[in-house]
Amino acid sequence: MKEKFYITTPIYYPSGKWHLGTCYTTVVCDALARFKRMQGYDVFYLTGTDEHGQKIEKVAQSHGMPTKKFVDKQVESLKKIWKLLNISYDKFIRTTDEYHQKAVQKIFQKLYDKGDIYKSEYEGWYCTPCEAFWTEKQLKENKCPDCGREVELTKESSYFFRLSKYQDRLIELIENNPEFLQPKSRQNEMLNNFLRAGLQDLAVSRTSFKWGVPVPFDKDHVIYVWIDALSNYITALGYMGEDDSLFKKFWPADIHMMGKEIIRFHSIIWPAILMALDVELPKKVYGHGWLLFGSDKISKSKGNIIDPIILSERYKVDAVRYYLLREIPFGQDGAFSNYAFLSRINADLCNSLGNLLSRTTAMVNQYFDGILPKSKKKGEHDSELIEIADNVFEKVKDNVDKLLIPEALTEIWNLINRSNKYIDETQPWILGKDEAQKDRLSTILYNLVECLRISATLLKPFLPDTAQRILSDLSLQDVNEFSENTKFGYLKGGEKITKSQPLFPRININKELEEMDKLASMLEKKNELGKGTNEIKKPEIEFDDFSKLDLKVGTVKACERIPKSAKLLKLTVEIGDEERTIVSGIAKSFEPDDLVGKQVVVVTNLKPVKLCGVESQGMVLCTEDENGIVLISPQRDVPSGSVVN
Ligand code: MSP
């Protein structure tokens, strides 16, 4: 029977704010899941979404959407990203799935019946406008970290999980099982900063919002939030559900993979919940580092493109996967830059791998009509190359077992680079001119095809599309497992070798960096504009509110710049039989003369304000896109003073 392998990512917040860093956990887990499948394991790869809580409720409100509808839409977008990135998950769990909610209620009930959950009072700092509780530590300069307003020390009734009861067992777990929490540096962090400092019981319900799983025996409370979120790893397998066969087969998890900021919840709260439920603990919890943009995990340093969809569409999905897997030392942080991304594509994918493929397949076609020759005459450099090729699988496997992903890829590139060097050393294009050297040439090309084949076979879990393209050129359609195909000498000769098309076009880095800069500022602008329009919807208003506006059509009679202001124009607008002075921030898109004679829509009953010393008696309506500001005008000229309604 196949050995099982259960791997999970955290479940993602359906916030819609996904960037390259957010894709890191799923891409890494995908490579591991694919590698294990090719090794013959029965793999279950789980990902999903963490949809409850007040934050999501508020984001949905700001989009003017019912919460469920909003999260449904976000989940669709997230699934599209995973599809694009070739993420081969076996199950996608949503915490709003009914089976999950029912199971979470049963888990809560079981913990309550056992005495591990009890009712008490939760004291925290409450922000009334945000309806949110904060701990003292979360406050920013004693104010609400979300809106910056005053907070009040408030008590709320809450259910508590007896986390403190498990403190000693948790310390023992981490001290005695060095494999449980990795990388090693996280063990001391957890032991010293949290476990030895003393654990407090954990508030696990809230009454201040409703968007969550109701506590089964107390409908005023919703379960907040870790019992709901963390339980996904077992409810997805049917724990406390109608059919728990997957749970029996796959639990305990072989790896829970996640970013370092949530390691505390997974290495302290999650094992304690499992201990309380009498469920076996996961084998490994791994906290990887962050992909940094500028100085932190989410801020964008100017000019960098970090949208996984744009990057994948522009440079291919495997360029994105390769960058994430190769560039960030696993377990540590790594900084993203357009330059590092483009350099990796050029150096490793286009030059090393692309050249080996194109030179090898071109020469087999040129000298042997596209049919792989048998090896006929051994020579200098062969044994060194063959030894590397024969050992590379073991080295890659060792690194994958230790979760050293960049190192695993480096091993594959050692073979690719050594093969390119072998071409330079053996100079097959010179041998090709001499019929007497044909036997030696056949061995050289056989050796090269074999090295290319082994490289592509091992690359399949990491870069599935690229590896498949190479293997297809070598007449290998279905390489789905590692077998004797990881050893040198697998192909027998006689196979059709297709002259390949370039894998990754060579990039002119300086030129492309300029293009990326332009693209980044366009995107930034679009985001800025989006903020004012589609993204944040204003609350619904009554017709009476709208009818308070006095909108009229006016004709611009004169227009001039306002000295010392780059933004403002002073317009003289005729509205019926009166003339008004209106100051408008549209100077970057219009020359004063452009506007004279134009009709505009004016808010005529806006309280006058002074701008740069000039009193503005109204406002003209306009919109903006990436090409600049556009005035809102009637479709054809109408008498000035016409009412807009
Ligand atoms: N919902 C919680 C997890 C609950 S698990 C029971 C959560 N979600 S998240 O959407 O914020 O994060 C999902 C994953 O993306 C996490 O592993 C997180 O560490 C990872 N990353 C988000 N930004 C990242 C980077 N900039 N770099 C690397 N990984 C990052 O946390």
Side-chain angles (χ1 to χ4, degrees):
M1 209 176 73
K2 282 182 171 183
E3 210 177 315
K4 66 91 187 171
F5 184 77
Y6 180 31
I7 182 165
T8 68
T9 71
I11 42 174
Y12 283 71
Y13 292 125
S15 60
K17 291 187 181 148
W18 299 300
H19 50 72
L20 198 56
T22 348
C23 303
Y24 186 60
T25 326
T26 31
V27 169
V28 164
C29 287
D30 184 66
L32 291 171
R34 285 173 183 270
F35 197 90
K36 290 284 175 186
R37 283 189 201 114
M38 285 185 74
Q39 279 185 292
Y41 284 82
D42 191 353
V43 171
F44 197 86
Y45 172 16
L46 176 73
T47 190
T49 36
D50 185 0
E51 303 183 14
H52 289 130
Q54 197 175 21
K55 257 196 181 160
I56 294 292
E57 201 176 31
K58 288 209 174 279
V59 181
Q61 271 165 15
S62 74
H63 283 73
M65 284 172 88
T67 314
K68 182 63 168 57
K69 214 166 169 191
F70 173 76
V71 290
D72 284 350
K73 200 171 146 234
Q74 297 306 326
V75 168
E76 281 318 301
S77 316
L78 186 64
K79 282 185 171 172
K80 274 191 196 142
I81 300 180
W82 295 159
K83 187 155 189 258
L84 180 70
L85 288 174
N86 267 326
I87 305 298
S88 61
Y89 56 78
D90 294 289
K91 179 156 184 167
F92 191 103
I93 184 171
R94 301 181 54 179
T95 51
T96 50
D97 286 337
E98 207 182 317
Y99 73 89
H100 169 79
Q101 304 201 47
K102 281 189 180 156
V104 165
Q105 287 187 320
K106 287 187 189 162
I107 289 171
F108 200 91
Q109 182 80 55
K110 182 169 173 182
L111 297 174
Y112 181 72
D113 292 345
K114 222 189 135 188
D116 272 334
I117 282 181
Y118 62 91
K119 198 171 185 181
S120 181
E121 270 186 335
Y122 170 79
E123 194 176 69
W125 294 91
Y126 193 68
C127 172
T128 312
C130 293
E131 295 170 34
F133 264 102
W134 303 104
T135 61
E136 183 123 18
K137 262 195 194 157
Q138 289 172 317
L139 299 180
K140 268 196 194 141
E141 291 163 4
N142 295 326
K143 305 251 166 72
C144 169
D146 261 5
C147 71
R149 280 180 272 214
E150 294 294 335
V151 284
E152 252 179 281
L153 192 60
T154 315
K155 280 187 180 165
E156 189 192 59
S157 140
S158 174
Y159 288 91
F160 281 78
F161 172 62
R162 273 187 217 285
L163 187 60
S164 58
K165 177 174 152 190
Y166 294 94
Q167 176 169 324
D168 294 343
R169 278 179 70 188
L170 290 165
I171 293 179
E172 207 181 290
L173 167 73
I174 294 180
E175 279 181 343
N176 298 344
N177 299 284
E179 278 309 305
F180 172 73
L181 176 55
Q182 287 284 329
K184 205 171 175 326
S185 55
R186 315 267 183 239
Q187 295 171 13
N188 288 336
E189 195 184 318
M190 291 305 121
L191 284 168
N192 297 337
N193 299 354
F194 302 105
L195 286 165
R196 294 199 185 108
L199 290 179
Q200 309 244 324
D201 290 350
L202 186 73
V204 288
S205 77
R206 291 286 191 275
T207 52
S208 49
F209 61 92
K210 288 271 166 258
W211 181 243
V213 182
V215 168
F217 46 83
D218 189 342
K219 298 287 183 244
D220 290 341
H221 288 249
V222 292
I223 298 172
Y224 175 82
V225 58
W226 290 102
I227 290 189
D228 173 17
L230 290 160
S231 298
N232 91 87
Y233 300 129
I234 50 178
T235 62
L237 300 178
Y239 179 76
M240 295 274 192
E242 281 170 14
D243 173 4
D244 66 353
S245 50
L246 286 175
F247 177 72
K248 288 191 177 120
K249 179 169 173 188
F250 285 104
W251 190 258
D254 293 83
I255 303 183
H256 286 317
M257 182 68 75
M258 72 211 64
K260 60 185 180 182
E261 79 284 6
I262 49 176
I263 198 83
R264 178 159 68 100
F265 308 107
H266 286 77
S267 64
I268 296 179
I269 298 175
W270 181 224
I273 294 173
L274 290 169
M275 285 171 186
L277 291 171
D278 285 321
V279 168
E280 213 178 326
L281 302 185
K283 291 188 193 159
K284 195 189 288 297
V285 170
Y286 194 101
H288 63 66
W290 288 340
L291 185 58
L292 300 173
F293 309 107
S295 57
D296 66 34
K297 163 166 167 269
I298 37 175
S299 77
K300 299 165 202 172
S301 69
K302 228 179 159 42
N304 281 335
I305 309 276
I306 59 165
D307 182 320
I309 300 181
I310 295 178
L311 289 175
S312 300
E313 281 171 356
R314 202 172 165 92
Y315 306 101
K316 293 193 179 172
V317 171
D318 280 350
V320 173
R321 287 179 63 112
Y322 183 68
Y323 178 84
L324 290 174
L325 295 168
R326 175 69 186 79
E327 189 72 17
I328 306 167
F330 203 59
Q332 297 169 38
D333 294 344
F336 177 82
S337 76
N338 288 342
Y339 179 77
F341 176 68
L342 298 179
S343 304
R344 276 279 169 213
I345 300 178
N346 259 8
D348 297 359
L349 299 177
C350 172
N351 290 352
S352 303
L353 179 62
N355 280 350
L356 177 63
L357 174 71
S358 62
R359 293 203 286 178
T360 304
T361 59
M363 287 191 288
V364 176
N365 276 272
Q366 188 180 348
Y367 302 123
F368 295 94
D369 294 327
I371 303 298
L372 180 65
K374 288 187 190 306
S375 170
K376 294 198 177 132
K377 187 176 179 198
K378 300 221 156 69
E380 210 189 345
H381 308 296
D382 293 5
S383 53
E384 190 193 334
L385 180 72
I386 293 171
E387 196 187 322
I388 294 176
D390 249 345
N391 292 325
V392 62
F393 172 67
E394 285 305 318
K395 291 186 175 169
V396 172
K397 185 180 111 26
D398 281 354
N399 280 315
V400 169
D401 285 345
K402 291 181 197 140
L403 297 174
L404 297 171
I405 311 287
E407 287 77 355
L409 286 168
T410 306
E411 290 297 343
I412 303 175
W413 256 266
N414 278 346
L415 175 61
I416 293 167
N417 292 337
R418 185 65 191 84
S419 305
N420 276 321
K421 193 170 161 218
Y422 179 79
I423 299 181
D424 300 339
E425 288 163 346
T426 54
Q427 302 188 318
W429 59 92
I430 294 180
L431 303 181
K433 289 181 189 147
D434 182 354
E435 196 50 35
Q437 299 285 357
K438 195 106 188 183
D439 282 357
R440 178 65 188 136
L441 183 63
S442 46
T443 296
I444 291 170
L445 290 179
Y446 177 85
N447 291 350
L448 286 170
V449 168
E450 271 297 272
C451 290
L452 188 59
R453 184 190 60 72
I454 293 177
S455 307
T457 304
L458 299 188
L459 270 181
K460 213 166 165 203
F462 305 98
L463 312 181
D465 288 350
T466 307
Q468 191 48 56
R469 267 196 57 190
I470 300 173
L471 291 165
S472 300
D473 286 346
L474 309 184
S475 293
L476 295 165
Q477 297 307 335
D478 298 309
V479 180
N480 296 321
E481 58 182 14
F482 298 133
S483 57
E484 63 276 24
N485 65 11
T486 59
K487 289 291 173 197
F488 189 89
Y490 177 76
L491 291 181
K492 298 294 168 237
E495 290 83 359
K496 170 99 190 81
I497 307 295
T498 307
K499 189 167 182 270
S500 74
Q501 297 301 310
L503 286 176
F504 293 86
R506 194 178 315 280
I507 297 170
N508 175 333
I509 293 196
N510 286 336
K511 215 168 138 218
E512 188 59 20
L513 282 172
E514 279 175 26
E515 290 299 313
M516 286 175 107
D517 248 2
K518 279 190 217 154
L519 188 61
S521 45
M522 237 173 73
L523 290 171
E524 217 167 275
K525 212 160 171 199
K526 214 168 147 191
N527 280 343
E528 284 306 310
L529 293 175
K531 269 182 209 149
T533 53
N534 314 329
E535 274 198 10
I536 300 185
K537 287 214 174 122
K538 293 180 183 169
E540 213 168 61
I541 55 166
E542 298 293 332
F543 182 73
D544 280 356
D545 294 323
F546 173 72
S547 56
K548 284 182 192 152
L549 289 174
D550 190 2
L551 301 172
K552 288 197 176 124
V553 175
T555 306
V556 181
K557 290 287 166 193
C559 181
E560 60 187 271
R561 289 190 182 279
I562 294 188
K564 290 196 219 136
S565 169
K567 277 173 121 184
L568 299 178
L569 292 181
K570 178 177 148 193
L571 288 77
T572 307
V573 184
E574 177 197 82
I575 304 166
D577 49 13
E578 64 168 330
E579 265 187 10
R580 298 246 187 141
T581 299
I582 295 176
V583 179
S584 181
I586 56 177
K588 69 174 178 179
S589 296
F590 297 99
E591 287 303 319
D593 287 348
D594 295 344
L595 296 178
V596 178
K598 289 249 153 48
Q599 289 210 308
V600 288
V601 176
V602 182
V603 187
T604 59
N605 60 339
L606 202 63
K607 211 176 194 172
V609 285
K610 261 197 175 171
L611 297 168
C612 274
V614 182
E615 187 177 87
S616 181
Q617 300 153 337
M619 188 176 94
V620 294
L621 298 188
C622 44
T623 183
E624 190 173 12
D625 67 6
E626 63 268 24
N627 298 317
I629 297 171
V630 183
L631 290 171
I632 307 294
S633 304
Q635 184 201 350
R636 59 175 170 74
D637 275 4
V638 292
S640 82
S642 298
V643 172
V644 177
N645 52 25

